[in-house]
Amino acid sequence: MFTIFKGFYKGKSTSTVPLLEILSMAAETLWSNKLRTGLTMLGVIIGISSVIAITSVGQGVQKGVEQQIQALGTDVIQILAGAARSGNIRQGIGSSSTLTWEDAKAIATQAPSAEIVSAYLQRTAQVVYGGQNTSTTIYGTDLNYPEARNTHPQQGRYFTQEELNNATQVAVLGPTVQNTLFGQGVNPIGEKIRIQGEAYEVIGVMEAKGSQGPMDRDDQIFIPLTSMSGRLVGNNALAGISVNGILVKSSNQEQLEAAQFQATNLLRLRHNIYPPQADDFRLTNQADIVSTFTNVVGLFTVMVVAIAGISLVVGGIGIANIMLVSVVERTREIGIRKAVGATNSAILNQFLAEAIVISIVGGCIGMGSGILIAFSAANIFKFPFVVSLVSIIVGFGLSLSVGLVAGVIPARNAAKLDPIAALRSD
């Protein structure tokens, strides 16, 4: 059996003491001072659990947002209308009527890398059915919107080209609106709802998409763009139908930059924008959003993990302090051991073993606590539960390192005690 030192152990001088017996003796010594040992472990437990939990939550949030954005399509460019000004106050993006449905049609026909192009008009409105009512987002869209946004009806259908041309008053509900107005599981197809006093027939219900940050992407209603512009908004541009945004989807990720370049130049030509004039629209790339968010969450996670690591340092200091106190309290015991033949390495290893047991047990409890906290947070806040093997290995390595570093100085002090001086101590 592997041996770690020769020395005194329960009356056996100069006998070989195996590793298992050393650890058993260390555990017995620590168990006899349960309160002190528990308080010493607390710093390690808090530090390791914080590292595991924060890393897991950060990775889970990152994965969840990536999934949501990818569900909308990472090969999609969103073109937003410019911001209107009222005096010296600049309003939000999309508040100005700088984009039209005709711009979208031009991109669809003249930008080779644009596979699918869809224009939309967006407003918040009150919707009523029977005794129920809700405030929700109304989207006036063309027929390409479901493909551009990768979202399709799970019940019924989307509106047709004829209904779009005739500004027919039909509506496709998001699942949240369906449940709010009609109740869970009730089929609303064929029913009439009122949007700002206008009656619309429900012809479909979209598939559930979940939330994206604070926005519930199921709390929406889709109607023909012509109906939206003519009946609900009424703010047509000087030429054509004004829209808030245009979605441009390329055939693949590689074509996205080409589509963005083509759409930008085409809109500048249509809007008579020449350098150094500023664009009256803004383009956002879904892939860039994913990349930016990943970088931000990654940096934030590293920062918080670094802060959590401070508690590990505090835990290590706590272990060192307790071990130093233990050396003082057990000076006479150390003197007896050395008097009957225990070597300096035997005493050194025994105190190191106690420090390592404290840190490893505290680390294991901390890892379990961290995983439990991360799992609870994932269930409460509805994001994927992710625990990487790397964070487990790092957590265990940190706990072992804390024990080694914190135990070295007290163990060396114990090993260097003069046996005669130790026996004379009270």
Side-chain angles (χ1 to χ4, degrees), residues 227-272:
S227 301
M228 180 79 165
S229 177
R231 297 179 181 276
L232 298 185
V233 178
N235 63 335
N236 289 346
L238 294 176
I241 294 177
S242 172
V243 296
N244 293 121
I246 299 171
L247 302 174
V248 180
K249 187 173 185 178
S250 60
S251 56
N252 52 57
Q253 192 76 35
E254 289 69 28
Q255 292 292 318
L256 198 60
E257 288 188 11
Q260 183 169 336
F261 176 79
Q262 293 162 9
T264 300
N265 287 331
L266 181 59
L267 288 176
R268 285 173 178 168
L269 287 173
R270 288 181 56 84
H271 296 185
N272 296 315

mmCIF file of all heavy atoms in Angstrom, residues 227-272:
data_model
loop_
_atom_site.group_PDB
_atom_site.id
_atom_site.type_symbol
_atom_site.label_atom_id
_atom_site.label_comp_id
_atom_site.label_asym_id
_atom_site.label_seq_id
_atom_site.Cartn_x
_atom_site.Cartn_y
_atom_site.Cartn_z
ATOM 1 N N SER A 227 -54.230 46.249 -44.508
ATOM 2 C CA SER A 227 -55.248 46.531 -43.483
ATOM 3 C C SER A 227 -54.673 47.389 -42.376
ATOM 4 O O SER A 227 -55.310 48.334 -41.888
ATOM 5 C CB SER A 227 -55.781 45.217 -42.893
ATOM 6 O OG SER A 227 -56.350 44.402 -43.889
ATOM 7 N N MET A 228 -53.458 47.060 -41.977
ATOM 8 C CA MET A 228 -52.791 47.812 -40.910
ATOM 9 C C MET A 228 -52.595 49.267 -41.320
ATOM 10 O O MET A 228 -52.911 50.200 -40.570
ATOM 11 C CB MET A 228 -51.434 47.162 -40.628
ATOM 12 C CG MET A 228 -50.624 47.837 -39.548
ATOM 13 S SD MET A 228 -51.201 47.385 -37.910
ATOM 14 C CE MET A 228 -49.816 47.958 -36.921
ATOM 15 N N SER A 229 -52.080 49.482 -42.523
ATOM 16 C CA SER A 229 -51.799 50.835 -42.982
ATOM 17 C C SER A 229 -53.071 51.633 -43.225
ATOM 18 O O SER A 229 -53.176 52.796 -42.838
ATOM 19 C CB SER A 229 -50.966 50.777 -44.266
ATOM 20 O OG SER A 229 -50.730 52.067 -44.770
ATOM 21 N N GLY A 230 -54.064 50.997 -43.863
ATOM 22 C CA GLY A 230 -55.270 51.721 -44.241
ATOM 23 C C GLY A 230 -56.244 51.949 -43.112
ATOM 24 O O GLY A 230 -56.936 52.972 -43.072
ATOM 25 N N ARG A 231 -56.302 51.010 -42.133
ATOM 26 C CA ARG A 231 -57.361 51.094 -41.121
ATOM 27 C C ARG A 231 -56.855 51.470 -39.731
ATOM 28 O O ARG A 231 -57.539 52.168 -38.990
ATOM 29 C CB ARG A 231 -58.104 49.751 -41.035
ATOM 30 C CG ARG A 231 -58.827 49.391 -42.326
ATOM 31 C CD ARG A 231 -59.515 48.036 -42.188
ATOM 32 N NE ARG A 231 -60.184 47.658 -43.421
ATOM 33 C CZ ARG A 231 -61.410 48.058 -43.773
ATOM 34 N NH1 ARG A 231 -62.095 48.856 -42.973
ATOM 35 N NH2 ARG A 231 -61.946 47.669 -44.918
ATOM 36 N N LEU A 232 -55.678 50.979 -39.356
ATOM 37 C CA LEU A 232 -55.220 51.195 -37.987
ATOM 38 C C LEU A 232 -54.219 52.335 -37.847
ATOM 39 O O LEU A 232 -54.205 53.035 -36.852
ATOM 40 C CB LEU A 232 -54.578 49.904 -37.444
ATOM 41 C CG LEU A 232 -55.494 48.682 -37.359
ATOM 42 C CD1 LEU A 232 -54.762 47.528 -36.696
ATOM 43 C CD2 LEU A 232 -56.765 49.009 -36.578
ATOM 44 N N VAL A 233 -53.360 52.531 -38.845
ATOM 45 C CA VAL A 233 -52.296 53.530 -38.731
ATOM 46 C C VAL A 233 -52.643 54.784 -39.509
ATOM 47 O O VAL A 233 -52.704 55.883 -38.972
ATOM 48 C CB VAL A 233 -50.947 52.948 -39.214
ATOM 49 C CG1 VAL A 233 -49.855 54.015 -39.136
ATOM 50 C CG2 VAL A 233 -50.562 51.742 -38.371
ATOM 51 N N GLY A 234 -52.842 54.615 -40.817
ATOM 52 C CA GLY A 234 -53.237 55.747 -41.651
ATOM 53 C C GLY A 234 -52.152 56.775 -41.879
ATOM 54 O O GLY A 234 -52.438 57.893 -42.283
ATOM 55 N N ASN A 235 -50.877 56.408 -41.645
ATOM 56 C CA ASN A 235 -49.810 57.379 -41.880
ATOM 57 C C ASN A 235 -48.951 56.952 -43.067
ATOM 58 O O ASN A 235 -47.785 56.644 -42.942
ATOM 59 C CB ASN A 235 -48.941 57.567 -40.628
ATOM 60 C CG ASN A 235 -48.215 56.286 -40.230
ATOM 61 O OD1 ASN A 235 -48.655 55.195 -40.547
ATOM 62 N ND2 ASN A 235 -47.091 56.434 -39.531
ATOM 63 N N ASN A 236 -49.549 56.908 -44.229
ATOM 64 C CA ASN A 236 -48.810 56.530 -45.431
ATOM 65 C C ASN A 236 -47.722 57.553 -45.735
ATOM 66 O O ASN A 236 -47.842 58.736 -45.442
ATOM 67 C CB ASN A 236 -49.755 56.429 -46.635
ATOM 68 C CG ASN A 236 -50.666 55.225 -46.515
ATOM 69 O OD1 ASN A 236 -50.439 54.358 -45.698
ATOM 70 N ND2 ASN A 236 -51.704 55.198 -47.322
ATOM 71 N N ALA A 237 -46.646 57.070 -46.358
ATOM 72 C CA ALA A 237 -45.588 57.974 -46.798
ATOM 73 C C ALA A 237 -46.084 58.760 -48.009
ATOM 74 O O ALA A 237 -47.155 58.488 -48.558
ATOM 75 C CB ALA A 237 -44.339 57.160 -47.145
ATOM 76 N N LEU A 238 -45.278 59.750 -48.431
ATOM 77 C CA LEU A 238 -45.658 60.551 -49.592
ATOM 78 C C LEU A 238 -45.823 59.676 -50.829
ATOM 79 O O LEU A 238 -46.671 59.941 -51.677
ATOM 80 C CB LEU A 238 -44.591 61.630 -49.836
ATOM 81 C CG LEU A 238 -44.467 62.697 -48.737
ATOM 82 C CD1 LEU A 238 -43.324 63.638 -49.064
ATOM 83 C CD2 LEU A 238 -45.779 63.458 -48.596
ATOM 84 N N ALA A 239 -44.994 58.629 -50.931
ATOM 85 C CA ALA A 239 -45.112 57.712 -52.065
ATOM 86 C C ALA A 239 -45.090 56.287 -51.530
ATOM 87 O O ALA A 239 -44.069 55.817 -51.056
ATOM 88 C CB ALA A 239 -43.959 57.924 -53.055
ATOM 89 N N GLY A 240 -46.238 55.625 -51.539
ATOM 90 C CA GLY A 240 -46.299 54.241 -51.076
ATOM 91 C C GLY A 240 -46.730 54.117 -49.634
ATOM 92 O O GLY A 240 -47.138 55.074 -48.996
ATOM 93 N N ILE A 241 -46.623 52.890 -49.134
ATOM 94 C CA ILE A 241 -47.045 52.568 -47.770
ATOM 95 C C ILE A 241 -45.836 52.608 -46.843
ATOM 96 O O ILE A 241 -44.841 51.914 -47.060
ATOM 97 C CB ILE A 241 -47.711 51.179 -47.723
ATOM 98 C CG1 ILE A 241 -49.019 51.204 -48.521
ATOM 99 C CG2 ILE A 241 -47.966 50.734 -46.290
ATOM 100 C CD1 ILE A 241 -49.715 49.864 -48.591
ATOM 101 N N SER A 242 -45.921 53.408 -45.808
ATOM 102 C CA SER A 242 -44.835 53.518 -44.834
ATOM 103 C C SER A 242 -44.742 52.245 -43.997
ATOM 104 O O SER A 242 -45.760 51.655 -43.610
ATOM 105 C CB SER A 242 -45.077 54.714 -43.934
ATOM 106 O OG SER A 242 -44.148 54.742 -42.879
ATOM 107 N N VAL A 243 -43.510 51.804 -43.703
ATOM 108 C CA VAL A 243 -43.291 50.636 -42.848
ATOM 109 C C VAL A 243 -42.255 50.978 -41.791
ATOM 110 O O VAL A 243 -41.453 51.899 -41.951
ATOM 111 C CB VAL A 243 -42.830 49.404 -43.662
ATOM 112 C CG1 VAL A 243 -43.904 48.965 -44.634
ATOM 113 C CG2 VAL A 243 -41.511 49.671 -44.385
ATOM 114 N N ASN A 244 -42.282 50.218 -40.692
ATOM 115 C CA ASN A 244 -41.302 50.421 -39.626
ATOM 116 C C ASN A 244 -39.993 49.693 -39.892
ATOM 117 O O ASN A 244 -38.932 50.110 -39.422
ATOM 118 C CB ASN A 244 -41.854 49.940 -38.280
ATOM 119 C CG ASN A 244 -43.012 50.780 -37.801
ATOM 120 O OD1 ASN A 244 -44.100 50.270 -37.584
ATOM 121 N ND2 ASN A 244 -42.797 52.077 -37.630
ATOM 122 N N GLY A 245 -40.083 48.580 -40.609
ATOM 123 C CA GLY A 245 -38.871 47.812 -40.837
ATOM 124 C C GLY A 245 -38.997 46.870 -42.013
ATOM 125 O O GLY A 245 -40.092 46.578 -42.502
ATOM 126 N N ILE A 246 -37.835 46.381 -42.473
ATOM 127 C CA ILE A 246 -37.765 45.423 -43.570
ATOM 128 C C ILE A 246 -36.830 44.305 -43.136
ATOM 129 O O ILE A 246 -35.725 44.561 -42.627
ATOM 130 C CB ILE A 246 -37.226 46.073 -44.864
ATOM 131 C CG1 ILE A 246 -38.149 47.214 -45.312
ATOM 132 C CG2 ILE A 246 -37.074 45.044 -45.974
ATOM 133 C CD1 ILE A 246 -37.579 48.042 -46.457
ATOM 134 N N LEU A 247 -37.247 43.066 -43.306
ATOM 135 C CA LEU A 247 -36.425 41.899 -43.019
ATOM 136 C C LEU A 247 -35.840 41.367 -44.318
ATOM 137 O O LEU A 247 -36.580 41.164 -45.283
ATOM 138 C CB LEU A 247 -37.242 40.813 -42.325
ATOM 139 C CG LEU A 247 -37.917 41.204 -41.004
ATOM 140 C CD1 LEU A 247 -38.801 40.067 -40.520
ATOM 141 C CD2 LEU A 247 -36.876 41.564 -39.958
ATOM 142 N N VAL A 248 -34.543 41.149 -44.340
ATOM 143 C CA VAL A 248 -33.867 40.625 -45.517
ATOM 144 C C VAL A 248 -33.160 39.333 -45.116
ATOM 145 O O VAL A 248 -32.269 39.347 -44.258
ATOM 146 C CB VAL A 248 -32.845 41.626 -46.087
ATOM 147 C CG1 VAL A 248 -32.149 41.046 -47.316
ATOM 148 C CG2 VAL A 248 -33.526 42.946 -46.428
ATOM 149 N N LYS A 249 -33.551 38.241 -45.715
ATOM 150 C CA LYS A 249 -32.974 36.938 -45.399
ATOM 151 C C LYS A 249 -32.173 36.444 -46.589
ATOM 152 O O LYS A 249 -32.667 36.422 -47.721
ATOM 153 C CB LYS A 249 -34.070 35.935 -45.043
ATOM 154 C CG LYS A 249 -33.554 34.594 -44.543
ATOM 155 C CD LYS A 249 -34.707 33.725 -44.040
ATOM 156 C CE LYS A 249 -34.185 32.443 -43.429
ATOM 157 N NZ LYS A 249 -35.283 31.595 -42.891
ATOM 158 N N SER A 250 -30.930 36.050 -46.340
ATOM 159 C CA SER A 250 -30.071 35.533 -47.402
ATOM 160 C C SER A 250 -30.180 34.017 -47.473
ATOM 161 O O SER A 250 -30.736 33.378 -46.582
ATOM 162 C CB SER A 250 -28.616 35.944 -47.159
ATOM 163 O OG SER A 250 -28.171 35.431 -45.920
ATOM 164 N N SER A 251 -29.630 33.457 -48.529
ATOM 165 C CA SER A 251 -29.722 32.009 -48.721
ATOM 166 C C SER A 251 -28.877 31.255 -47.701
ATOM 167 O O SER A 251 -29.196 30.122 -47.333
ATOM 168 C CB SER A 251 -29.277 31.632 -50.140
ATOM 169 O OG SER A 251 -27.964 32.119 -50.393
ATOM 170 N N ASN A 252 -27.777 31.867 -47.221
ATOM 171 C CA ASN A 252 -26.942 31.244 -46.206
ATOM 172 C C ASN A 252 -26.135 32.331 -45.494
ATOM 173 O O ASN A 252 -26.185 33.504 -45.851
ATOM 174 C CB ASN A 252 -26.001 30.189 -46.824
ATOM 175 C CG ASN A 252 -25.201 30.748 -47.995
ATOM 176 O OD1 ASN A 252 -24.483 31.731 -47.847
ATOM 177 N ND2 ASN A 252 -25.341 30.135 -49.166
ATOM 178 N N GLN A 253 -25.382 31.912 -44.473
ATOM 179 C CA GLN A 253 -24.622 32.857 -43.654
ATOM 180 C C GLN A 253 -23.578 33.604 -44.478
ATOM 181 O O GLN A 253 -23.309 34.785 -44.237
ATOM 182 C CB GLN A 253 -23.926 32.073 -42.530
ATOM 183 C CG GLN A 253 -23.342 32.937 -41.436
ATOM 184 C CD GLN A 253 -24.401 33.481 -40.489
ATOM 185 O OE1 GLN A 253 -25.379 32.803 -40.208
ATOM 186 N NE2 GLN A 253 -24.222 34.696 -40.019
ATOM 187 N N GLU A 254 -22.999 32.924 -45.467
ATOM 188 C CA GLU A 254 -21.939 33.542 -46.268
ATOM 189 C C GLU A 254 -22.463 34.683 -47.137
ATOM 190 O O GLU A 254 -21.726 35.620 -47.462
ATOM 191 C CB GLU A 254 -21.262 32.491 -47.165
ATOM 192 C CG GLU A 254 -20.389 31.473 -46.421
ATOM 193 C CD GLU A 254 -21.192 30.511 -45.569
ATOM 194 O OE1 GLU A 254 -22.376 30.241 -45.920
ATOM 195 O OE2 GLU A 254 -20.664 30.038 -44.542
ATOM 196 N N GLN A 255 -23.737 34.616 -47.525
ATOM 197 C CA GLN A 255 -24.321 35.637 -48.393
ATOM 198 C C GLN A 255 -24.854 36.845 -47.623
ATOM 199 O O GLN A 255 -25.311 37.820 -48.218
ATOM 200 C CB GLN A 255 -25.468 35.025 -49.213
ATOM 201 C CG GLN A 255 -25.028 34.003 -50.239
ATOM 202 C CD GLN A 255 -24.224 34.643 -51.355
ATOM 203 O OE1 GLN A 255 -24.564 35.721 -51.850
ATOM 204 N NE2 GLN A 255 -23.149 33.994 -51.755
ATOM 205 N N LEU A 256 -24.770 36.775 -46.295
ATOM 206 C CA LEU A 256 -25.393 37.818 -45.480
ATOM 207 C C LEU A 256 -24.720 39.183 -45.687
ATOM 208 O O LEU A 256 -25.396 40.199 -45.829
ATOM 209 C CB LEU A 256 -25.334 37.418 -44.006
ATOM 210 C CG LEU A 256 -26.279 38.152 -43.051
ATOM 211 C CD1 LEU A 256 -27.726 37.923 -43.458
ATOM 212 C CD2 LEU A 256 -26.056 37.698 -41.620
ATOM 213 N N GLU A 257 -23.397 39.200 -45.685
ATOM 214 C CA GLU A 257 -22.691 40.471 -45.864
ATOM 215 C C GLU A 257 -22.960 41.064 -47.244
ATOM 216 O O GLU A 257 -23.102 42.285 -47.389
ATOM 217 C CB GLU A 257 -21.191 40.266 -45.660
ATOM 218 C CG GLU A 257 -20.801 40.020 -44.215
ATOM 219 C CD GLU A 257 -19.297 40.018 -44.013
ATOM 220 O OE1 GLU A 257 -18.575 40.408 -44.955
ATOM 221 O OE2 GLU A 257 -18.860 39.637 -42.914
ATOM 222 N N ALA A 258 -23.029 40.199 -48.262
ATOM 223 C CA ALA A 258 -23.328 40.697 -49.608
ATOM 224 C C ALA A 258 -24.731 41.291 -49.650
ATOM 225 O O ALA A 258 -24.949 42.357 -50.252
ATOM 226 C CB ALA A 258 -23.207 39.558 -50.618
ATOM 227 N N ALA A 259 -25.699 40.615 -49.021
ATOM 228 C CA ALA A 259 -27.068 41.131 -48.987
ATOM 229 C C ALA A 259 -27.128 42.467 -48.254
ATOM 230 O O ALA A 259 -27.850 43.387 -48.664
ATOM 231 C CB ALA A 259 -27.989 40.114 -48.311
ATOM 232 N N GLN A 260 -26.376 42.595 -47.171
ATOM 233 C CA GLN A 260 -26.351 43.847 -46.417
ATOM 234 C C GLN A 260 -25.763 44.976 -47.260
ATOM 235 O O GLN A 260 -26.298 46.097 -47.276
ATOM 236 C CB GLN A 260 -25.522 43.649 -45.144
ATOM 237 C CG GLN A 260 -25.474 44.873 -44.239
ATOM 238 C CD GLN A 260 -24.876 44.553 -42.877
ATOM 239 O OE1 GLN A 260 -24.893 43.413 -42.436
ATOM 240 N NE2 GLN A 260 -24.346 45.553 -42.212
ATOM 241 N N PHE A 261 -24.680 44.700 -47.970
ATOM 242 C CA PHE A 261 -24.047 45.700 -48.828
ATOM 243 C C PHE A 261 -24.994 46.138 -49.946
ATOM 244 O O PHE A 261 -25.157 47.341 -50.208
ATOM 245 C CB PHE A 261 -22.762 45.108 -49.415
ATOM 246 C CG PHE A 261 -22.055 45.999 -50.386
ATOM 247 C CD1 PHE A 261 -21.254 47.049 -49.943
ATOM 248 C CD2 PHE A 261 -22.193 45.802 -51.752
ATOM 249 C CE1 PHE A 261 -20.603 47.881 -50.850
ATOM 250 C CE2 PHE A 261 -21.549 46.624 -52.663
ATOM 251 C CZ PHE A 261 -20.745 47.671 -52.210
ATOM 252 N N GLN A 262 -25.662 45.162 -50.588
ATOM 253 C CA GLN A 262 -26.564 45.474 -51.698
ATOM 254 C C GLN A 262 -27.776 46.271 -51.215
ATOM 255 O O GLN A 262 -28.181 47.262 -51.859
ATOM 256 C CB GLN A 262 -27.010 44.180 -52.375
ATOM 257 C CG GLN A 262 -25.877 43.443 -53.081
ATOM 258 C CD GLN A 262 -26.209 41.995 -53.369
ATOM 259 O OE1 GLN A 262 -27.350 41.545 -53.192
ATOM 260 N NE2 GLN A 262 -25.214 41.234 -53.831
ATOM 261 N N ALA A 263 -28.362 45.856 -50.098
ATOM 262 C CA ALA A 263 -29.541 46.562 -49.583
ATOM 263 C C ALA A 263 -29.192 47.986 -49.165
ATOM 264 O O ALA A 263 -29.966 48.931 -49.423
ATOM 265 C CB ALA A 263 -30.123 45.795 -48.394
ATOM 266 N N THR A 264 -28.039 48.172 -48.532
ATOM 267 C CA THR A 264 -27.622 49.502 -48.094
ATOM 268 C C THR A 264 -27.464 50.448 -49.277
ATOM 269 O O THR A 264 -27.983 51.572 -49.278
ATOM 270 C CB THR A 264 -26.297 49.416 -47.306
ATOM 271 O OG1 THR A 264 -26.478 48.584 -46.159
ATOM 272 C CG2 THR A 264 -25.849 50.804 -46.858
ATOM 273 N N ASN A 265 -26.740 50.008 -50.293
ATOM 274 C CA ASN A 265 -26.506 50.876 -51.460
ATOM 275 C C ASN A 265 -27.795 51.169 -52.224
ATOM 276 O O ASN A 265 -28.004 52.289 -52.708
ATOM 277 C CB ASN A 265 -25.477 50.221 -52.392
ATOM 278 C CG ASN A 265 -24.072 50.294 -51.817
ATOM 279 O OD1 ASN A 265 -23.755 51.206 -51.071
ATOM 280 N ND2 ASN A 265 -23.249 49.330 -52.149
ATOM 281 N N LEU A 266 -28.662 50.151 -52.317
ATOM 282 C CA LEU A 266 -29.921 50.349 -53.026
ATOM 283 C C LEU A 266 -30.796 51.374 -52.320
ATOM 284 O O LEU A 266 -31.389 52.264 -52.953
ATOM 285 C CB LEU A 266 -30.649 49.012 -53.161
ATOM 286 C CG LEU A 266 -31.980 49.028 -53.909
ATOM 287 C CD1 LEU A 266 -31.800 49.545 -55.332
ATOM 288 C CD2 LEU A 266 -32.593 47.630 -53.931
ATOM 289 N N LEU A 267 -30.879 51.296 -50.993
ATOM 290 C CA LEU A 267 -31.683 52.255 -50.233
ATOM 291 C C LEU A 267 -31.099 53.660 -50.317
ATOM 292 O O LEU A 267 -31.839 54.647 -50.385
ATOM 293 C CB LEU A 267 -31.796 51.810 -48.769
ATOM 294 C CG LEU A 267 -32.697 50.598 -48.499
ATOM 295 C CD1 LEU A 267 -32.635 50.200 -47.032
ATOM 296 C CD2 LEU A 267 -34.139 50.886 -48.904
ATOM 297 N N ARG A 268 -29.781 53.762 -50.311
ATOM 298 C CA ARG A 268 -29.158 55.089 -50.449
ATOM 299 C C ARG A 268 -29.505 55.723 -51.794
ATOM 300 O O ARG A 268 -29.785 56.924 -51.867
ATOM 301 C CB ARG A 268 -27.646 54.958 -50.299
ATOM 302 C CG ARG A 268 -27.182 54.744 -48.856
ATOM 303 C CD ARG A 268 -25.695 54.451 -48.773
ATOM 304 N NE ARG A 268 -25.266 54.289 -47.392
ATOM 305 C CZ ARG A 268 -24.083 53.811 -47.033
ATOM 306 N NH1 ARG A 268 -23.204 53.429 -47.967
ATOM 307 N NH2 ARG A 268 -23.767 53.689 -45.769
ATOM 308 N N LEU A 269 -29.496 54.908 -52.830
ATOM 309 C CA LEU A 269 -29.865 55.432 -54.151
ATOM 310 C C LEU A 269 -31.329 55.841 -54.188
ATOM 311 O O LEU A 269 -31.684 56.903 -54.707
ATOM 312 C CB LEU A 269 -29.581 54.375 -55.224
ATOM 313 C CG LEU A 269 -28.102 54.125 -55.561
ATOM 314 C CD1 LEU A 269 -27.978 52.933 -56.511
ATOM 315 C CD2 LEU A 269 -27.483 55.374 -56.196
ATOM 316 N N ARG A 270 -32.201 55.023 -53.622
ATOM 317 C CA ARG A 270 -33.639 55.315 -53.640
ATOM 318 C C ARG A 270 -33.974 56.543 -52.799
ATOM 319 O O ARG A 270 -34.918 57.265 -53.100
ATOM 320 C CB ARG A 270 -34.426 54.102 -53.141
ATOM 321 C CG ARG A 270 -34.452 52.933 -54.120
ATOM 322 C CD ARG A 270 -35.274 51.768 -53.552
ATOM 323 N NE ARG A 270 -36.624 52.163 -53.208
ATOM 324 C CZ ARG A 270 -37.655 52.232 -54.064
ATOM 325 N NH1 ARG A 270 -37.448 51.961 -55.355
ATOM 326 N NH2 ARG A 270 -38.847 52.590 -53.658
ATOM 327 N N HIS A 271 -33.209 56.755 -51.719
ATOM 328 C CA HIS A 271 -33.501 57.870 -50.811
ATOM 329 C C HIS A 271 -32.636 59.101 -51.109
ATOM 330 O O HIS A 271 -32.657 60.061 -50.328
ATOM 331 C CB HIS A 271 -33.299 57.429 -49.354
ATOM 332 C CG HIS A 271 -34.239 56.361 -48.917
ATOM 333 N ND1 HIS A 271 -34.296 55.893 -47.605
ATOM 334 C CD2 HIS A 271 -35.177 55.640 -49.593
ATOM 335 C CE1 HIS A 271 -35.219 54.956 -47.511
ATOM 336 N NE2 HIS A 271 -35.764 54.780 -48.704
ATOM 337 N N ASN A 272 -31.844 59.039 -52.214
ATOM 338 C CA ASN A 272 -30.991 60.166 -52.613
ATOM 339 C C ASN A 272 -30.029 60.579 -51.499
ATOM 340 O O ASN A 272 -29.913 61.753 -51.141
ATOM 341 C CB ASN A 272 -31.850 61.375 -53.034
ATOM 342 C CG ASN A 272 -32.674 61.080 -54.270
ATOM 343 O OD1 ASN A 272 -32.174 60.501 -55.247
ATOM 344 N ND2 ASN A 272 -33.946 61.465 -54.236
#
